[in-house]
Amino acid sequence: MDGTNSQKYLKEIERCLNAGCRQLVIDLSQVSFVDTHGLGVLVKGWRLTQQKQIPFRVRGVIQEAVKIVFQVTNIERLFPVEYTTLPKNFVKVSF
């Protein structure tokens, strides 16, 4: 999740919100790297959900490099971050 693919993530978030989702859960279990562009997408997604009063959270932060970025930036002060994967019965949208 970096400058090369961050816009793809943002477009998918916007698509989900425009489709009328009632909550947004971002699964990062397959993401091994996040830079400032990726963090920007997450913050933008969080802001969009706040405007629509939709719950937002991030799950699957299991890769060590991603954990470190989240901890150093203290991004959890904005939205919930879960260091687990999604349950099997959860509907998942892949990026």
Side-chain angles (χ1 to χ4, degrees):
M1 195 172 194
D2 56 30
T4 64
N5 60 14
S6 60
Q7 287 305 305
K8 178 178 77 167
Y9 285 91
L10 184 56
K11 287 184 189 308
E12 188 63 21
I13 290 169
E14 290 170 340
R15 185 192 67 75
C16 291
L17 293 174
N18 291 334
C21 73
R22 295 185 297 171
Q23 70 172 325
L24 189 59
V25 179
I26 306 293
D27 177 25
L28 296 181
S29 62
Q30 300 300 309
V31 173
S32 60
F33 178 77
V34 174
D35 70 3
T36 57
H37 293 94
L39 290 174
V41 166
L42 294 174
V43 171
K44 173 77 173 178
W46 171 75
R47 286 185 177 146
L48 292 171
T49 59
Q50 292 299 294
Q51 291 171 356
K52 295 182 179 225
Q53 299 180 338
I54 296 171
F56 178 93
R57 73 177 187 260
V58 174
R59 289 190 76 160
V61 180
I62 56 176
Q63 303 296 327
E64 196 61 33
V66 179
K67 283 182 187 180
I68 290 169
V69 170
F70 276 45
Q71 292 166 350
V72 167
T73 60
N74 199 22
I75 202 161
E76 293 174 342
R77 73 183 186 279
L78 295 179
F79 49 79
V81 176
E82 299 174 23
Y83 297 91
T84 59
T85 57
L86 291 169
K88 295 196 184 310
N89 64 346
F90 212 83
V91 176
K92 185 175 176 182
V93 177
S94 297
F95 295 112

Coordinates of all heavy atoms in Angstrom, one line a residue:
M1 N 0.9 -1.2 0.0 CA 0.0 0.0 0.0 C 0.9 1.2 0.0 O 1.4 1.7 1.0 CB -0.9 0.0 1.2 CG -2.0 0.9 1.2 SD -3.2 0.6 2.6 CE -4.5 1.5 2.0
D2 N 1.2 1.7 -1.2 CA 2.1 2.8 -1.3 C 1.7 3.7 -2.5 O 0.6 3.6 -3.0 CB 3.5 2.3 -1.5 CG 3.7 1.4 -2.7 OD1 2.9 1.5 -3.7 OD2 4.5 0.5 -2.7
G3 N 2.6 4.6 -2.9 CA 2.3 5.6 -3.9 C 1.9 4.9 -5.3 O 1.2 5.5 -6.1
T4 N 2.4 3.7 -5.5 CA 2.1 3.0 -6.8 C 0.7 2.5 -6.9 O 0.1 2.3 -7.9 CB 3.1 1.9 -7.1 OG1 2.9 0.9 -6.1 CG2 4.5 2.4 -7.1
N5 N 0.0 2.2 -5.7 CA -1.3 1.6 -5.7 C -2.3 2.3 -4.8 O -3.4 1.8 -4.7 CB -1.2 0.1 -5.4 CG -0.6 -0.2 -4.1 OD1 -0.5 0.7 -3.2 ND2 -0.3 -1.4 -3.9
S6 N -1.9 3.4 -4.2 CA -2.8 4.0 -3.2 C -4.1 4.5 -3.8 O -5.2 4.4 -3.2 CB -2.1 5.1 -2.4 OG -1.7 6.1 -3.3
Q7 N -4.1 5.0 -5.0 CA -5.3 5.5 -5.6 C -6.3 4.4 -5.9 O -7.5 4.6 -5.8 CB -5.0 6.3 -6.9 CG -4.4 7.6 -6.6 CD -5.2 8.5 -5.7 OE1 -6.4 8.7 -6.0 NE2 -4.6 8.9 -4.6
K8 N -5.8 3.2 -6.2 CA -6.7 2.0 -6.4 C -7.4 1.7 -5.1 O -8.6 1.4 -5.1 CB -5.8 0.8 -6.8 CG -6.6 -0.5 -7.0 CD -5.7 -1.6 -7.5 CE -4.9 -2.1 -6.4 NZ -4.2 -3.4 -6.6
Y9 N -6.7 1.8 -4.0 CA -7.4 1.5 -2.7 C -8.4 2.6 -2.4 O -9.5 2.3 -2.0 CB -6.3 1.5 -1.6 CG -5.5 0.3 -1.5 CD1 -4.3 0.2 -2.1 CD2 -5.9 -0.8 -0.7 CE1 -3.5 -0.9 -2.1 CE2 -5.1 -1.9 -0.6 CZ -3.9 -2.0 -1.3 OH -3.1 -3.1 -1.2
L10 N -8.1 3.8 -2.7 CA -9.1 4.9 -2.4 C -10.3 4.8 -3.3 O -11.4 5.0 -2.8 CB -8.4 6.3 -2.6 CG -9.2 7.5 -2.3 CD1 -9.8 7.4 -0.8 CD2 -8.5 8.8 -2.5
K11 N -10.1 4.5 -4.5 CA -11.3 4.3 -5.4 C -12.2 3.2 -4.9 O -13.4 3.3 -5.0 CB -10.8 4.0 -6.9 CG -10.3 5.3 -7.6 CD -9.9 4.9 -9.0 CE -9.1 6.1 -9.6 NZ -9.7 7.4 -9.6
E12 N -11.6 2.1 -4.4 CA -12.4 1.0 -3.9 C -13.2 1.4 -2.7 O -14.3 1.0 -2.5 CB -11.5 -0.2 -3.6 CG -12.3 -1.5 -3.3 CD -13.2 -2.0 -4.4 OE1 -13.0 -1.7 -5.6 OE2 -14.1 -2.8 -4.1
I13 N -12.5 2.1 -1.8 CA -13.2 2.7 -0.6 C -14.4 3.5 -1.0 O -15.5 3.4 -0.5 CB -12.2 3.4 0.3 CG1 -11.3 2.4 1.0 CG2 -13.0 4.2 1.4 CD1 -10.1 3.1 1.7
E14 N -14.1 4.4 -1.9 CA -15.2 5.3 -2.4 C -16.3 4.5 -3.1 O -17.5 4.8 -2.9 CB -14.6 6.4 -3.4 CG -13.8 7.4 -2.7 CD -13.0 8.3 -3.7 OE1 -12.8 7.9 -4.8 OE2 -12.6 9.4 -3.2
R15 N -16.0 3.5 -3.8 CA -17.0 2.7 -4.5 C -17.9 2.0 -3.4 O -19.1 2.0 -3.6 CB -16.4 1.6 -5.4 CG -17.4 0.8 -6.2 CD -16.7 -0.5 -6.8 NE -16.3 -1.4 -5.8 CZ -17.1 -2.3 -5.1 NH1 -18.4 -2.2 -5.3 NH2 -16.6 -3.1 -4.3
C16 N -17.3 1.5 -2.4 CA -18.0 0.8 -1.3 C -19.0 1.8 -0.6 O -20.1 1.5 -0.4 CB -17.1 0.2 -0.3 SG -16.2 -1.2 -0.9
L17 N -18.5 3.0 -0.3 CA -19.3 4.0 0.3 C -20.4 4.5 -0.5 O -21.5 4.6 -0.1 CB -18.4 5.2 0.8 CG -17.4 4.9 1.9 CD1 -16.5 6.0 2.1 CD2 -18.1 4.4 3.2
N18 N -20.2 4.6 -1.8 CA -21.2 5.1 -2.8 C -22.2 4.0 -3.0 O -23.4 4.3 -3.4 CB -20.6 5.5 -4.1 CG -19.8 6.8 -4.0 OD1 -20.1 7.6 -3.1 ND2 -18.8 7.0 -4.8
A19 N -21.9 2.7 -2.7 CA -22.8 1.6 -2.9 C -23.7 1.4 -1.7 O -24.6 0.6 -1.7 CB -22.0 0.3 -3.1
G20 N -23.5 2.3 -0.6 CA -24.3 2.2 0.5 C -23.9 1.3 1.6 O -24.8 0.9 2.4
C21 N -22.6 1.0 1.8 CA -22.2 0.1 2.9 C -22.5 0.8 4.2 O -22.6 2.0 4.3 CB -20.7 -0.2 2.8 SG -19.6 1.2 3.2
R22 N -22.8 -0.1 5.2 CA -23.1 0.4 6.5 C -22.0 0.4 7.5 O -22.1 0.9 8.6 CB -24.3 -0.5 7.1 CG -25.6 -0.3 6.3 CD -26.7 -1.0 6.9 NE -26.4 -2.5 6.9 CZ -27.1 -3.4 7.5 NH1 -28.2 -3.0 8.1 NH2 -26.8 -4.6 7.4
Q23 N -20.9 -0.2 7.1 CA -19.6 -0.1 7.8 C -18.5 -0.4 6.9 O -18.7 -1.0 5.9 CB -19.6 -1.0 9.0 CG -19.5 -2.5 8.7 CD -19.3 -3.4 9.9 OE1 -18.6 -3.0 10.9 NE2 -19.9 -4.5 9.9
L24 N -17.3 0.1 7.2 CA -16.1 -0.2 6.4 C -15.0 -0.8 7.2 O -14.6 -0.2 8.2 CB -15.7 1.1 5.7 CG -14.6 1.0 4.6 CD1 -15.1 0.1 3.5 CD2 -14.2 2.3 4.1
V25 N -14.7 -2.0 6.8 CA -13.6 -2.8 7.5 C -12.5 -3.0 6.5 O -12.8 -3.7 5.5 CB -14.1 -4.1 8.1 CG1 -12.9 -4.8 8.8 CG2 -15.2 -3.9 9.1
I26 N -11.4 -2.5 6.7 CA -10.2 -2.6 5.7 C -9.4 -3.8 6.2 O -8.9 -3.8 7.3 CB -9.4 -1.4 5.7 CG1 -10.2 -0.1 5.3 CG2 -8.2 -1.6 4.7 CD1 -10.8 -0.1 4.0
D27 N -9.2 -4.8 5.4 CA -8.4 -6.0 5.7 C -7.0 -5.8 5.1 O -6.8 -5.8 3.9 CB -9.0 -7.2 5.1 CG -8.2 -8.5 5.4 OD1 -7.4 -8.5 6.3 OD2 -8.4 -9.4 4.6
L28 N -6.0 -5.7 6.0 CA -4.6 -5.5 5.5 C -3.8 -6.7 5.7 O -2.6 -6.6 5.7 CB -4.0 -4.3 6.3 CG -4.6 -2.9 6.0 CD1 -3.8 -1.9 6.8 CD2 -4.6 -2.6 4.5
S29 N -4.4 -7.9 5.9 CA -3.6 -9.1 6.2 C -2.7 -9.5 5.0 O -1.7 -10.2 5.3 CB -4.6 -10.2 6.5 OG -5.4 -10.5 5.4
Q30 N -3.0 -9.1 3.8 CA -2.1 -9.4 2.7 C -1.2 -8.3 2.3 O -0.5 -8.3 1.3 CB -3.0 -9.8 1.5 CG -3.9 -11.0 1.7 CD -3.1 -12.2 2.1 OE1 -2.2 -12.6 1.4 NE2 -3.5 -12.9 3.1
V31 N -1.2 -7.2 3.1 CA -0.4 -6.0 2.8 C 0.9 -6.1 3.6 O 0.9 -6.3 4.9 CB -1.1 -4.7 3.1 CG1 -0.2 -3.5 3.0 CG2 -2.4 -4.6 2.3
S32 N 2.0 -6.1 3.0 CA 3.3 -6.2 3.7 C 4.0 -4.9 3.9 O 5.1 -4.8 4.6 CB 4.2 -7.2 2.9 OG 4.5 -6.6 1.6
F33 N 3.5 -3.8 3.3 CA 4.2 -2.5 3.4 C 3.2 -1.4 3.3 O 2.3 -1.4 2.4 CB 5.2 -2.3 2.3 CG 6.0 -1.0 2.3 CD1 7.0 -0.8 3.2 CD2 5.6 -0.1 1.4 CE1 7.6 0.5 3.2 CE2 6.2 1.2 1.3 CZ 7.3 1.4 2.3
V34 N 3.3 -0.4 4.1 CA 2.5 0.8 4.0 C 3.4 2.1 4.2 O 4.2 2.1 5.1 CB 1.4 0.9 5.2 CG1 0.6 2.2 5.2 CG2 0.4 -0.3 5.0
D35 N 3.2 3.0 3.2 CA 4.0 4.2 3.3 C 3.0 5.4 3.6 O 1.9 5.2 3.9 CB 4.9 4.5 2.1 CG 4.1 4.8 0.8 OD1 2.9 4.9 0.9 OD2 4.8 5.0 -0.2
T36 N 3.5 6.6 3.5 CA 2.6 7.8 3.7 C 1.5 7.9 2.8 O 0.4 8.3 3.2 CB 3.4 9.1 3.7 OG1 4.1 9.2 2.4 CG2 4.5 9.1 4.7
H37 N 1.6 7.4 1.6 CA 0.5 7.4 0.7 C -0.6 6.4 1.2 O -1.8 6.7 1.1 CB 0.9 7.0 -0.8 CG 1.8 8.0 -1.4 ND1 3.2 7.9 -1.3 CD2 1.5 9.1 -2.1 CE1 3.7 8.9 -2.0 NE2 2.7 9.6 -2.5
G38 N -0.2 5.3 1.6 CA -1.1 4.3 2.2 C -1.8 4.8 3.4 O -3.0 4.6 3.6
L39 N -1.1 5.4 4.3 CA -1.7 6.0 5.5 C -2.7 7.1 5.1 O -3.7 7.2 5.7 CB -0.6 6.6 6.4 CG 0.3 5.6 7.1 CD1 1.4 6.3 7.9 CD2 -0.5 4.7 8.1
G40 N -2.3 7.9 4.1 CA -3.2 8.9 3.6 C -4.5 8.4 3.1 O -5.6 9.0 3.4
V41 N -4.5 7.2 2.4 CA -5.7 6.6 1.9 C -6.6 6.2 3.1 O -7.8 6.4 3.1 CB -5.4 5.4 1.0 CG1 -6.6 4.5 0.8 CG2 -4.8 5.9 -0.3
L42 N -5.9 5.6 4.1 CA -6.7 5.2 5.3 C -7.3 6.3 6.0 O -8.5 6.3 6.4 CB -5.8 4.4 6.3 CG -5.3 3.0 5.7 CD1 -4.3 2.4 6.7 CD2 -6.5 2.1 5.4
V43 N -6.6 7.4 6.2 CA -7.1 8.6 6.8 C -8.3 9.2 6.0 O -9.3 9.6 6.5 CB -6.0 9.6 7.1 CG1 -6.6 11.0 7.6 CG2 -5.0 9.1 8.1
K44 N -8.1 9.3 4.7 CA -9.1 9.8 3.8 C -10.4 8.9 3.9 O -11.5 9.4 4.0 CB -8.6 9.9 2.4 CG -9.6 10.2 1.3 CD -9.9 11.7 1.3 CE -10.8 12.0 0.1 NZ -11.2 13.4 0.1
G45 N -10.2 7.6 3.9 CA -11.3 6.7 4.0 C -12.0 6.9 5.3 O -13.3 6.9 5.4
W46 N -11.3 7.1 6.4 CA -11.9 7.3 7.7 C -12.7 8.6 7.7 O -13.8 8.6 8.2 CB -10.8 7.3 8.8 CG -11.2 7.8 10.1 CD1 -12.0 7.1 11.0 CD2 -11.0 9.1 10.7 NE1 -12.2 7.8 12.1 CE2 -11.7 9.1 12.0 CE3 -10.4 10.2 10.3 CZ2 -11.7 10.2 12.8 CZ3 -10.4 11.3 11.1 CH2 -11.0 11.3 12.4
R47 N -12.1 9.6 7.1 CA -12.8 10.9 7.0 C -14.1 10.8 6.2 O -15.1 11.4 6.6 CB -11.9 12.0 6.4 CG -10.9 12.5 7.4 CD -10.1 13.6 6.8 NE -9.1 14.1 7.7 CZ -8.0 14.6 7.4 NH1 -7.6 14.7 6.1 NH2 -7.1 15.0 8.3
L48 N -14.1 10.1 5.1 CA -15.3 9.9 4.3 C -16.4 9.1 5.1 O -17.5 9.5 5.1 CB -15.0 9.1 3.0 CG -14.1 9.9 2.0 CD1 -13.7 8.9 0.9 CD2 -14.9 11.1 1.5
T49 N -15.9 8.1 5.9 CA -16.9 7.4 6.7 C -17.5 8.3 7.8 O -18.6 8.2 8.2 CB -16.3 6.1 7.3 OG1 -15.2 6.4 8.1 CG2 -16.0 5.1 6.2
Q50 N -16.6 9.1 8.4 CA -17.1 10.0 9.4 C -18.2 11.0 8.9 O -19.1 11.3 9.6 CB -15.9 10.9 10.0 CG -14.9 10.0 10.8 CD -15.5 9.4 12.0 OE1 -15.9 10.0 12.9 NE2 -15.6 8.1 11.9
Q51 N -18.0 11.5 7.7 CA -19.0 12.4 7.1 C -20.3 11.7 6.9 O -21.4 12.3 7.0 CB -18.5 12.8 5.7 CG -17.3 13.8 5.8 CD -16.7 14.1 4.4 OE1 -17.1 13.5 3.4 NE2 -15.7 15.0 4.4
K52 N -20.3 10.4 6.6 CA -21.5 9.6 6.4 C -22.0 8.9 7.7 O -22.9 8.1 7.6 CB -21.3 8.6 5.3 CG -21.1 9.3 4.0 CD -20.9 8.2 2.9 CE -20.7 9.0 1.5 NZ -21.5 8.4 0.5
Q53 N -21.2 9.1 8.8 CA -21.5 8.4 10.1 C -21.6 6.9 9.9 O -22.5 6.2 10.4 CB -22.8 8.9 10.6 CG -22.8 10.4 10.9 CD -24.1 11.0 11.5 OE1 -25.1 10.4 11.4 NE2 -23.9 12.1 12.2
I54 N -20.5 6.4 9.3 CA -20.4 4.9 9.1 C -19.2 4.5 9.9 O -18.1 5.1 9.8 CB -20.2 4.6 7.6 CG1 -21.4 5.0 6.8 CG2 -19.8 3.2 7.3 CD1 -21.2 5.0 5.3
P55 N -19.3 3.4 10.6 CA -18.1 2.9 11.4 C -17.0 2.5 10.4 O -17.2 1.9 9.3 CB -18.7 1.6 12.1 CG -20.1 1.8 12.1 CD -20.5 2.6 10.9
F56 N -15.7 2.7 10.8 CA -14.5 2.4 10.1 C -13.5 1.8 11.0 O -13.3 2.2 12.1 CB -13.9 3.7 9.5 CG -12.7 3.6 8.8 CD1 -12.7 3.4 7.4 CD2 -11.4 3.6 9.4 CE1 -11.5 3.3 6.7 CE2 -10.3 3.4 8.7 CZ -10.3 3.3 7.3
R57 N -12.9 0.7 10.5 CA -11.8 0.1 11.3 C -10.9 -0.7 10.3 O -11.3 -1.0 9.2 CB -12.4 -0.8 12.4 CG -13.0 -2.1 12.0 CD -13.4 -2.9 13.2 NE -13.8 -4.2 12.9 CZ -15.1 -4.6 12.8 NH1 -16.0 -3.8 13.1 NH2 -15.4 -5.8 12.5
V58 N -9.7 -1.0 10.8 CA -8.7 -1.7 10.0 C -8.4 -3.0 10.8 O -8.3 -3.0 12.0 CB -7.5 -0.9 9.9 CG1 -6.4 -1.7 9.2 CG2 -7.8 0.4 9.1
R59 N -8.4 -4.1 10.0 CA -8.1 -5.4 10.6 C -7.0 -6.0 9.9 O -6.7 -5.6 8.8 CB -9.3 -6.3 10.5 CG -10.4 -5.9 11.5 CD -11.5 -7.0 11.6 NE -10.9 -8.1 12.4 CZ -11.7 -9.0 12.9 NH1 -13.0 -9.0 12.8 NH2 -11.2 -10.0 13.6
G60 N -6.4 -7.1 10.4 CA -5.4 -7.9 9.7 C -4.1 -7.2 9.6 O -3.3 -7.5 8.7
V61 N -3.8 -6.4 10.6 CA -2.4 -5.8 10.6 C -1.5 -6.8 11.3 O -1.3 -6.8 12.5 CB -2.4 -4.4 11.4 CG1 -1.0 -3.8 11.4 CG2 -3.4 -3.5 10.7
I62 N -1.0 -7.7 10.4 CA -0.2 -8.8 11.0 C 1.2 -8.8 10.5 O 2.1 -9.4 11.1 CB -0.9 -10.2 10.6 CG1 -1.1 -10.3 9.1 CG2 -2.2 -10.3 11.4 CD1 -1.6 -11.7 8.7
Q63 N 1.5 -8.1 9.4 CA 2.9 -8.0 8.9 C 3.7 -7.0 9.8 O 3.2 -5.9 10.1 CB 2.9 -7.5 7.5 CG 2.1 -8.3 6.5 CD 2.6 -9.7 6.4 OE1 3.8 -10.0 6.4 NE2 1.8 -10.7 6.2
E64 N 4.9 -7.4 10.2 CA 5.6 -6.6 11.1 C 5.9 -5.2 10.6 O 5.8 -4.2 11.4 CB 7.0 -7.3 11.4 CG 7.6 -6.8 12.7 CD 6.8 -6.9 13.9 OE1 6.0 -7.9 14.1 OE2 7.0 -6.1 14.8
A65 N 6.2 -5.0 9.4 CA 6.5 -3.7 8.8 C 5.3 -2.8 8.9 O 5.4 -1.6 9.2 CB 7.0 -3.8 7.4
V66 N 4.1 -3.3 8.7 CA 2.9 -2.5 8.8 C 2.6 -2.2 10.3 O 2.2 -1.0 10.6 CB 1.7 -3.3 8.2 CG1 0.4 -2.5 8.3 CG2 2.0 -3.6 6.7
K67 N 2.8 -3.1 11.1 CA 2.6 -2.9 12.6 C 3.4 -1.7 13.1 O 3.0 -0.9 13.8 CB 2.9 -4.1 13.4 CG 1.9 -5.2 13.4 CD 2.4 -6.4 14.3 CE 1.5 -7.6 14.2 NZ 2.0 -8.7 15.1
I68 N 4.7 -1.7 12.6 CA 5.6 -0.7 13.1 C 5.2 0.7 12.6 O 5.1 1.6 13.4 CB 7.1 -1.0 12.6 CG1 7.6 -2.2 13.4 CG2 8.0 0.2 12.8 CD1 8.9 -2.8 12.8
V69 N 4.8 0.8 11.4 CA 4.3 2.1 10.8 C 3.1 2.5 11.6 O 3.0 3.7 12.0 CB 4.0 2.0 9.3 CG1 3.2 3.2 8.8 CG2 5.2 1.7 8.5
F70 N 2.1 1.6 11.9 CA 0.9 2.0 12.7 C 1.3 2.4 14.1 O 0.7 3.4 14.6 CB -0.1 0.8 12.7 CG -0.9 0.7 11.5 CD1 -0.4 0.9 10.2 CD2 -2.3 0.5 11.6 CE1 -1.2 0.8 9.1 CE2 -3.1 0.4 10.5 CZ -2.6 0.6 9.2
Q71 N 2.2 1.7 14.7 CA 2.6 2.1 16.1 C 3.3 3.4 16.1 O 3.1 4.2 17.0 CB 3.4 1.0 16.7 CG 2.6 -0.3 16.9 CD 3.4 -1.5 17.2 OE1 4.6 -1.5 17.1 NE2 2.7 -2.6 17.6
V72 N 4.3 3.6 15.2 CA 5.0 4.9 15.2 C 4.2 6.1 14.9 O 4.3 7.1 15.5 CB 6.2 4.8 14.2 CG1 6.8 6.1 13.9 CG2 7.2 3.8 14.6
T73 N 3.2 5.9 14.0 CA 2.3 7.1 13.7 C 1.2 7.2 14.6 O 0.5 8.2 14.6 CB 1.8 6.9 12.3 OG1 1.0 5.7 12.2 CG2 2.9 6.9 11.2
N74 N 1.0 6.2 15.5 CA -0.1 6.3 16.5 C -1.5 6.5 15.8 O -2.3 7.2 16.3 CB 0.1 7.3 17.5 CG -0.7 7.1 18.8 OD1 -1.2 6.0 19.1 ND2 -0.9 8.2 19.5
I75 N -1.7 5.8 14.6 CA -2.9 6.0 13.8 C -4.1 5.5 14.6 O -5.2 5.9 14.3 CB -2.7 5.4 12.5 CG1 -3.7 6.0 11.5 CG2 -2.9 3.8 12.5 CD1 -3.3 5.8 10.0
E76 N -3.9 4.7 15.6 CA -5.1 4.2 16.4 C -5.8 5.3 17.1 O -6.9 5.0 17.6 CB -4.6 3.1 17.4 CG -4.1 1.9 16.7 CD -3.5 0.9 17.7 OE1 -3.1 1.3 18.8 OE2 -3.4 -0.3 17.3
R77 N -5.3 6.4 17.2 CA -6.0 7.5 17.8 C -7.1 8.0 17.0 O -8.0 8.7 17.5 CB -5.0 8.7 18.2 CG -4.5 9.5 17.1 CD -3.6 10.6 17.5 NE -3.2 11.4 16.4 CZ -2.3 11.2 15.5 NH1 -1.6 10.0 15.5 NH2 -2.0 12.0 14.5
L78 N -7.1 7.7 15.7 CA -8.1 8.1 14.7 C -9.2 7.0 14.6 O -10.4 7.3 14.6 CB -7.6 8.4 13.3 CG -6.7 9.6 13.2 CD1 -6.2 9.7 11.8 CD2 -7.3 10.8 13.6
F79 N -8.8 5.8 14.5 CA -9.8 4.7 14.2 C -9.2 3.4 14.8 O -8.0 3.3 15.0 CB -10.1 4.5 12.7 CG -8.8 4.5 11.8 CD1 -8.1 3.3 11.7 CD2 -8.4 5.6 11.1 CE1 -7.0 3.3 10.9 CE2 -7.3 5.5 10.3 CZ -6.6 4.4 10.2
P80 N -10.1 2.4 15.1 CA -9.7 1.2 15.6 C -8.8 0.4 14.7 O -9.1 0.3 13.5 CB -11.0 0.4 15.9 CG -12.1 1.4 15.8 CD -11.6 2.5 15.0
V81 N -7.8 -0.2 15.2 CA -6.9 -1.1 14.4 C -6.8 -2.4 15.2 O -6.5 -2.5 16.4 CB -5.5 -0.5 14.3 CG1 -4.5 -1.5 13.6 CG2 -5.5 0.8 13.6
E82 N -7.1 -3.5 14.5 CA -7.1 -4.8 15.0 C -6.0 -5.6 14.4 O -5.9 -5.7 13.2 CB -8.5 -5.5 14.8 CG -9.6 -4.7 15.5 CD -11.0 -5.3 15.1 OE1 -11.1 -6.5 14.8 OE2 -12.0 -4.5 15.2
Y83 N -5.2 -6.2 15.3 CA -4.1 -7.0 14.8 C -4.4 -8.5 14.7 O -3.7 -9.3 15.1 CB -2.9 -6.8 15.8 CG -2.5 -5.3 15.8 CD1 -3.0 -4.4 16.7 CD2 -1.5 -4.9 14.9 CE1 -2.6 -3.1 16.7 CE2 -1.1 -3.5 14.9 CZ -1.7 -2.7 15.8 OH -1.3 -1.3 15.8
T84 N -5.6 -8.7 14.0 CA -6.1 -10.0 13.8 C -6.6 -10.1 12.4 O -6.7 -9.0 11.7 CB -7.2 -10.4 14.7 OG1 -8.3 -9.5 14.6 CG2 -6.7 -10.4 16.2
T85 N -6.9 -11.2 11.9 CA -7.5 -11.4 10.5 C -9.0 -11.4 10.6 O -9.6 -11.5 11.7 CB -7.0 -12.7 9.9 OG1 -7.3 -13.8 10.7 CG2 -5.5 -12.6 9.6
L86 N -9.7 -11.3 9.5 CA -11.1 -11.3 9.5 C -11.7 -12.7 9.8 O -11.1 -13.7 9.4 CB -11.6 -10.9 8.1 CG -11.4 -9.4 7.7 CD1 -11.7 -9.2 6.2 CD2 -12.3 -8.5 8.5
P87 N -12.9 -12.8 10.4 CA -13.5 -14.1 10.6 C -13.9 -14.7 9.2 O -14.1 -14.0 8.3 CB -14.7 -13.8 11.4 CG -14.8 -12.3 11.5 CD -13.6 -11.7 11.0
K88 N -14.0 -16.0 9.2 CA -14.3 -16.7 7.9 C -15.6 -16.3 7.4 O -15.8 -16.3 6.1 CB -14.2 -18.2 8.1 CG -12.8 -18.6 8.5 CD -12.6 -20.1 8.3 CE -11.3 -20.6 8.7 NZ -10.1 -19.9 8.2
N89 N -16.6 -16.0 8.2 CA -17.9 -15.7 7.6 C -18.1 -14.2 7.2 O -19.2 -13.8 6.9 CB -19.0 -16.0 8.7 CG -18.9 -15.2 9.9 OD1 -17.9 -14.6 10.2 ND2 -19.9 -15.3 10.8
F90 N -17.0 -13.4 7.2 CA -17.1 -12.0 6.9 C -17.0 -11.8 5.4 O -16.2 -12.5 4.7 CB -15.9 -11.3 7.6 CG -16.2 -9.9 8.0 CD1 -16.8 -9.7 9.2 CD2 -15.8 -8.9 7.2 CE1 -17.1 -8.4 9.6 CE2 -16.1 -7.6 7.6 CZ -16.7 -7.3 8.8
V91 N -17.9 -11.0 4.9 CA -17.8 -10.6 3.4 C -16.6 -9.8 3.2 O -16.4 -8.7 3.9 CB -19.1 -9.9 3.0 CG1 -19.0 -9.5 1.5 CG2 -20.3 -10.8 3.2
K92 N -15.8 -10.2 2.3 CA -14.5 -9.5 2.1 C -14.4 -8.9 0.7 O -14.7 -9.5 -0.3 CB -13.4 -10.5 2.3 CG -12.0 -10.0 2.2 CD -11.0 -11.1 2.5 CE -9.6 -10.7 2.4 NZ -8.7 -11.8 2.7
V93 N -14.0 -7.6 0.6 CA -13.8 -7.0 -0.7 C -12.3 -6.9 -0.8 O -11.6 -6.3 0.0 CB -14.4 -5.6 -0.8 CG1 -14.1 -4.9 -2.1 CG2 -15.9 -5.7 -0.6
S94 N -11.7 -7.4 -1.9 CA -10.3 -7.4 -2.1 C -9.9 -6.2 -3.0 O -10.7 -5.8 -3.9 CB -9.8 -8.7 -2.8 OG -10.0 -9.7 -1.9
F95 N -8.8 -5.6 -2.8 CA -8.2 -4.5 -3.6 C -7.3 -5.1 -4.6 O -6.6 -6.0 -4.4 CB -7.5 -3.5 -2.7 CG -8.4 -2.8 -1.7 CD1 -8.3 -3.0 -0.4 CD2 -9.4 -1.9 -2.2 CE1 -9.1 -2.4 0.5 CE2 -10.2 -1.3 -1.3 CZ -10.1 -1.5 0.0

